[in-house]
Amino acid sequence: DPSLEKPVSSRTASAQFLDPLHLVPCGRSDTVRMRCSLPAVNPASSHDSLALANVGAAQTLQARAARDTLLAQWLRDAAAGNAQAFEKFYDTTFGHAQSLARRMLNRSDLDDVLADAYLQCWREAARFDAARGSAVTWLLTIVRSRALDLLRRRRASVEADAAELPADLPTE
Protein backbone atom coordinates (compact mmCIF):
# COMPACT_ATOMS: atom_id res chain seq x y z
CA ASP A 1 0.00 0.00 0.00
CA PRO A 2 1.77 3.19 -1.16
CA SER A 3 -0.05 5.31 1.43
CA LEU A 4 2.10 3.63 4.11
CA GLU A 5 5.39 4.72 2.52
CA LYS A 6 7.02 7.79 3.94
CA PRO A 7 10.46 9.29 3.48
CA VAL A 8 12.80 8.96 6.43
CA SER A 9 16.21 10.26 7.30
CA SER A 10 19.19 7.93 7.03
CA ARG A 11 19.38 7.83 10.83
CA THR A 12 15.81 6.59 11.07
CA ALA A 13 16.37 4.07 8.29
CA SER A 14 19.38 2.63 10.11
CA ALA A 15 17.42 2.52 13.36
CA GLN A 16 15.22 -0.21 11.90
CA PHE A 17 18.05 -2.64 12.59
CA LEU A 18 18.34 -1.55 16.21
CA ASP A 19 14.77 -1.88 17.38
CA PRO A 20 11.80 -4.05 16.50
CA LEU A 21 10.01 -1.11 14.89
CA HIS A 22 8.07 -3.20 12.40
CA LEU A 23 9.82 -1.39 9.57
CA VAL A 24 11.13 -3.04 6.44
CA PRO A 25 12.95 -1.57 3.43
CA CYS A 26 10.65 -1.26 0.47
CA GLY A 27 13.18 -1.09 -2.33
CA ARG A 28 14.35 2.51 -2.14
CA SER A 29 16.88 3.72 0.39
CA ASP A 30 14.87 6.82 1.21
CA THR A 31 11.61 5.08 2.11
CA VAL A 32 10.42 2.60 4.65
CA ARG A 33 7.16 0.69 4.68
CA MET A 34 5.42 0.17 8.00
CA ARG A 35 4.06 -3.35 8.45
CA CYS A 36 1.81 -2.48 11.35
CA SER A 37 -1.76 -1.48 10.79
CA LEU A 38 -1.96 2.28 10.84
CA PRO A 39 -4.92 4.48 10.09
CA ALA A 40 -5.12 5.66 6.49
CA VAL A 41 -4.24 9.34 6.28
CA ASN A 42 -4.06 12.01 3.64
CA PRO A 43 -0.35 12.87 3.30
CA ALA A 44 -1.28 16.41 2.23
CA SER A 45 -2.71 17.14 5.67
CA SER A 46 -0.04 18.14 8.19
CA HIS A 47 -2.39 17.26 11.06
CA ASP A 48 -2.79 13.71 9.72
CA SER A 49 0.97 13.42 9.16
CA LEU A 50 1.57 14.48 12.75
CA ALA A 51 -0.98 11.94 13.97
CA LEU A 52 0.76 9.23 11.93
CA ALA A 53 4.13 10.21 13.37
CA ASN A 54 2.71 10.07 16.91
CA VAL A 55 1.27 6.59 16.29
CA GLY A 56 4.65 5.42 14.97
CA ALA A 57 6.50 6.95 17.92
CA ALA A 58 4.14 5.33 20.42
CA GLN A 59 4.58 1.94 18.75
CA THR A 60 8.34 2.42 18.79
CA LEU A 61 8.33 3.20 22.50
CA GLN A 62 6.10 0.23 23.26
CA ALA A 63 8.30 -2.13 21.24
CA ARG A 64 11.45 -0.79 22.90
CA ALA A 65 9.93 -1.11 26.39
CA ALA A 66 8.86 -4.69 25.68
CA ARG A 67 12.32 -5.53 24.34
CA ASP A 68 14.02 -3.96 27.37
CA THR A 69 11.80 -5.87 29.79
CA LEU A 70 12.56 -9.15 28.04
CA LEU A 71 16.32 -8.49 27.92
CA ALA A 72 16.36 -7.55 31.61
CA GLN A 73 14.57 -10.81 32.45
CA TRP A 74 17.08 -12.80 30.41
CA LEU A 75 19.95 -11.10 32.26
CA ARG A 76 18.35 -11.92 35.62
CA ASP A 77 17.99 -15.53 34.51
CA ALA A 78 21.60 -15.57 33.26
CA ALA A 79 22.76 -14.23 36.62
CA ALA A 80 21.08 -17.28 38.16
CA GLY A 81 23.11 -19.51 35.82
CA ASN A 82 20.64 -20.02 32.98
CA ALA A 83 22.83 -20.34 29.87
CA GLN A 84 19.81 -20.54 27.54
CA ALA A 85 18.61 -17.14 28.75
CA PHE A 86 22.04 -15.69 28.09
CA GLU A 87 22.05 -17.25 24.63
CA LYS A 88 18.75 -15.48 23.90
CA PHE A 89 20.25 -12.22 25.21
CA TYR A 90 23.28 -12.76 22.96
CA ASP A 91 21.21 -13.58 19.87
CA THR A 92 18.99 -10.54 20.38
CA THR A 93 21.73 -8.01 21.11
CA PHE A 94 24.65 -9.18 18.97
CA GLY A 95 23.74 -6.89 16.06
CA HIS A 96 23.82 -3.85 18.34
CA ALA A 97 27.17 -4.79 19.83
CA GLN A 98 28.73 -5.65 16.49
CA SER A 99 27.53 -2.39 14.96
CA LEU A 100 29.18 -0.32 17.67
CA ALA A 101 32.41 -2.33 17.64
CA ARG A 102 32.58 -2.14 13.85
CA ARG A 103 32.51 1.66 14.02
CA MET A 104 35.35 1.73 16.54
CA LEU A 105 37.71 -1.07 15.45
CA ASN A 106 39.28 -2.90 12.55
CA ARG A 107 37.48 -6.04 11.41
CA SER A 108 40.31 -8.19 12.74
CA ASP A 109 39.62 -6.99 16.29
CA LEU A 110 35.84 -7.41 16.32
CA ASP A 111 35.62 -11.03 17.43
CA ASP A 112 38.02 -10.61 20.36
CA VAL A 113 36.38 -7.45 21.67
CA LEU A 114 32.86 -8.87 21.33
CA ALA A 115 33.88 -12.13 23.01
CA ASP A 116 35.43 -10.17 25.90
CA ALA A 117 32.34 -7.98 26.21
CA TYR A 118 29.89 -10.89 26.26
CA LEU A 119 32.06 -12.80 28.70
CA GLN A 120 31.97 -9.77 30.98
CA CYS A 121 28.18 -9.58 30.57
CA TRP A 122 27.87 -13.26 31.55
CA ARG A 123 30.09 -12.84 34.60
CA GLU A 124 28.48 -9.59 35.73
CA ALA A 125 24.86 -10.20 34.75
CA ALA A 126 23.84 -9.87 38.41
CA ARG A 127 25.20 -6.31 38.43
CA PHE A 128 22.77 -5.15 35.73
CA ASP A 129 20.22 -2.73 37.17
CA ALA A 130 17.22 -1.98 34.93
CA ALA A 131 16.49 1.13 36.99
CA ARG A 132 19.74 2.68 35.72
CA GLY A 133 19.15 1.99 32.02
CA SER A 134 18.31 -0.57 29.40
CA ALA A 135 20.16 -3.83 28.91
CA VAL A 136 21.25 -2.70 25.45
CA THR A 137 22.75 0.48 26.90
CA TRP A 138 24.54 -1.59 29.56
CA LEU A 139 25.91 -3.98 26.92
CA LEU A 140 27.01 -1.18 24.59
CA THR A 141 28.82 0.54 27.47
CA ILE A 142 30.75 -2.68 28.07
CA VAL A 143 31.52 -3.09 24.35
CA ARG A 144 32.70 0.52 24.16
CA SER A 145 34.92 0.07 27.20
CA ARG A 146 36.51 -3.11 25.84
CA ALA A 147 37.10 -1.44 22.45
CA LEU A 148 38.68 1.62 24.06
CA ASP A 149 40.87 -0.62 26.23
CA LEU A 150 42.17 -2.35 23.10
CA LEU A 151 42.82 0.95 21.34
CA ARG A 152 44.66 2.31 24.39
CA ARG A 153 46.81 -0.83 24.64
CA ARG A 154 47.70 -0.53 20.97
CA ARG A 155 48.60 3.16 21.30
CA ALA A 156 50.74 2.46 24.39
CA SER A 157 52.48 -0.38 22.54
CA VAL A 158 53.29 1.86 19.56
CA GLU A 159 54.58 4.60 21.89
CA ALA A 160 56.73 2.09 23.79
CA ASP A 161 58.16 0.75 20.53
CA ALA A 162 58.96 4.30 19.42
CA ALA A 163 60.70 5.02 22.74
CA GLU A 164 62.95 1.97 22.26
CA LEU A 165 64.34 3.26 18.95
CA PRO A 166 67.93 4.54 19.17
CA ALA A 167 68.12 8.33 19.38
CA ASP A 168 70.86 8.59 16.72
CA LEU A 169 68.69 7.29 13.88
CA PRO A 170 68.16 9.88 11.16
CA THR A 171 64.62 11.16 10.79
CA GLU A 172 63.02 12.00 7.49
Side-chain angles (χ1 to χ4, degrees), residues 68-99:
D68 290 345
T69 301
L70 190 56
L71 291 174
Q73 181 60 48
W74 287 337
L75 280 175
R76 283 191 295 275
D77 293 347
N82 185 339
Q84 288 179 333
F86 191 76
E87 185 177 341
K88 290 177 186 176
F89 175 80
Y90 174 89
D91 290 342
T92 304
T93 59
F94 184 77
H96 302 282
Q98 185 181 41
S99 178

Side-chain angles (χ1 to χ4, degrees), residues 54-66:
N54 287 339
V55 168
Q59 289 174 340
T60 300
L61 291 175
Q62 289 172 346
R64 190 173 291 163

Side-chain angles (χ1 to χ4, degrees), residues 5-134:
E5 289 184 11
K6 65 176 196 163
V8 295
S9 70
S10 61
R11 182 173 181 203
T12 306
S14 65
Q16 70 183 324
F17 301 108
L18 299 178
D19 296 311
L21 300 178
H22 309 294
L23 300 176
V24 293
C26 62
R28 296 188 309 235
S29 62
D30 62 336
T31 60
V32 170
R33 176 170 296 163
M34 301 189 75
R35 286 193 297 195
C36 50
S37 55
L38 297 175
V41 295
N42 177 0
S45 166
S46 63
H47 176 70
D48 288 343
S49 297
L50 182 60
L52 180 60
N54 287 339
V55 168
Q59 289 174 340
T60 300
L61 291 175
Q62 289 172 346
R64 190 173 291 163
R67 179 204 66 191
D68 290 345
T69 301
L70 190 56
L71 291 174
Q73 181 60 48
W74 287 337
L75 280 175
R76 283 191 295 275
D77 293 347
N82 185 339
Q84 288 179 333
F86 191 76
E87 185 177 341
K88 290 177 186 176
F89 175 80
Y90 174 89
D91 290 342
T92 304
T93 59
F94 184 77
H96 302 282
Q98 185 181 41
S99 178
L100 175 61
R102 191 179 299 138
R103 282 181 263 153
M104 296 180 72
L105 303 167
N106 296 326
R107 283 189 175 264
S108 60
D109 299 324
L110 289 178
D111 291 337
D112 290 338
V113 166
L114 292 172
D116 289 345
Y118 277 102
L119 180 60
Q120 183 177 349
C121 287
W122 171 255
R123 289 180 176 165
E124 298 182 7
R127 294 184 61 197
F128 171 70
D129 181 6
R132 295 183 63 197
S134 75

